[in-house]
Amino acid sequence: MQEFVKLTGIVLKTVPIGEYDRRVVILTKERGKISAFAKGARKPNSRLVAAASPFVFGEFKIYEGRTSYNIAEADIRNYFEGLREDFSAACYGMYFLEATDYYTRENNEEIEMLKLLYQSLRALLAKGLDRKLVRYVFEIRALVANGEYPGIPEGRDWKESTVYAMNYIEKSPIEKLYTFSVTGEILEELEKIAGIYRRKYMDREMKSLSILEGIGE
């Protein structure tokens, strides 16, 4: 008799397998990042079509096969439809998914990254929030979540407001992370800091980031 487990998470990416199936990578609250097969998900009338789509957040009912997890059904709570209707937001969102996939490990405890990803995707759709600010906050806080945050880069005098913003990004609850704004001058300094970290801690090119920068974001 098959034993099912229910896992809450966000789909990071999907890969076509065979004629009808997909392999899905999900960042979950209970088991960290996992890979699972969604059998028949490429069929138009499949009940797993939504479950095998990037960005979706919900509860996944999963059973363990001989060599892999398999999705039996899913209760989707947030489709993030707005990301599919706005090309710029979608590019930011895909970058967040790709960066999260890069930073997280299979079956590792990743609750902070899950919370950060979820709140960051919501922030992309919030009116009045600068998406570039959302991006830099996400990049900096991801290092904190992964225990790699080195502190504010030394070697230059950062503005006091930049230092304050960096401390807020590092220490605030993730649920309150996107509740501030900055001037253009401070945004430029945050961009420089995030760039320093990215070049130091990301050792591969992000395809989604190339697209994002290609459209001037």
Side-chain angles (χ1 to χ4, degrees):
M1 183 176 178
Q2 288 178 336
E3 291 188 8
F4 295 93
V5 294
K6 291 183 178 180
L7 306 177
T8 300
I10 297 177
V11 174
L12 301 183
K13 67 179 180 181
T14 71
V15 179
I17 300 293
E19 189 174 356
Y20 298 116
D21 305 337
R22 287 189 182 277
R23 185 174 67 85
V24 182
V25 177
I26 311 170
L27 186 63
T28 73
K29 181 175 68 175
E30 297 83 0
R31 299 194 180 183
K33 186 170 70 174
I34 67 167
S35 295
F37 286 98
K39 295 181 179 179
R42 298 175 67 193
K43 296 179 180 178
N45 60 346
S46 171
R47 68 181 187 280
L48 295 181
V49 169
S53 301
F55 299 122
V56 297
F57 169 80
E59 186 177 76
F60 299 82
K61 186 176 180 181
I62 290 176
Y63 64 94
E64 194 166 358
R66 288 187 298 174
T67 58
S68 66
Y69 291 108
N70 297 276
I71 302 174
E73 57 185 73
D75 177 17
I76 304 304
R77 301 173 186 173
N78 194 335
Y79 291 88
F80 288 103
E81 295 96 334
L83 297 179
R84 306 170 200 281
E85 300 165 358
D86 184 321
F87 181 71
S88 172
C91 290
Y92 277 100
M94 290 304 296
Y95 170 53
F96 291 174
L97 295 186
E98 189 176 2
T100 299
D101 185 42
Y102 172 82
Y103 278 123
T104 54
R105 299 291 178 266
E106 293 276 348
N107 300 305
N108 194 36
E109 195 278 313
E110 301 287 1
I111 293 177
E112 285 297 296
M113 278 302 297
L114 177 62
K115 290 166 60 178
L116 175 61
L117 176 59
Y118 184 81
Q119 294 299 333
S120 299
L121 294 178
R122 289 186 63 197
L124 289 177
L125 300 175
K127 293 182 179 180
L129 262 180
D130 189 318
R131 287 174 181 165
K132 288 186 177 180
L133 176 60
V134 175
R135 170 186 162 182
Y136 306 145
V137 170
F138 171 83
E139 290 176 328
I140 294 165
R141 187 57 181 259
L143 293 178
V144 177
N146 282 279
E148 297 180 324
Y149 181 65
I152 301 172
E154 300 179 352
R156 65 171 293 173
D157 293 326
W158 304 104
K159 296 186 180 301
E160 184 178 346
S161 294
T162 301
V163 174
Y164 179 86
M166 289 293 294
N167 288 331
Y168 184 85
I169 294 168
E170 177 191 2
K171 298 175 181 177
S172 70
I174 289 178
E175 293 78 7
K176 297 182 179 180
L177 196 54
Y178 297 106
T179 57
F180 73 100
S181 59
V182 296
T183 64
E185 196 173 30
I186 303 306
L187 185 66
E188 288 181 2
E189 290 205 335
L190 291 177
E191 178 183 12
K192 291 176 182 177
I193 292 170
I196 291 170
Y197 294 157
R198 193 168 55 251
R199 288 187 292 273
K200 182 176 181 179
Y201 292 100
M202 283 188 176
D203 60 2
R204 79 174 186 214
E205 181 179 347
M206 299 281 171
K207 294 180 181 179
S208 52
L209 181 57
S210 299
I211 295 173
L212 195 59
E213 294 175 342
I215 62 173
E217 295 289 352

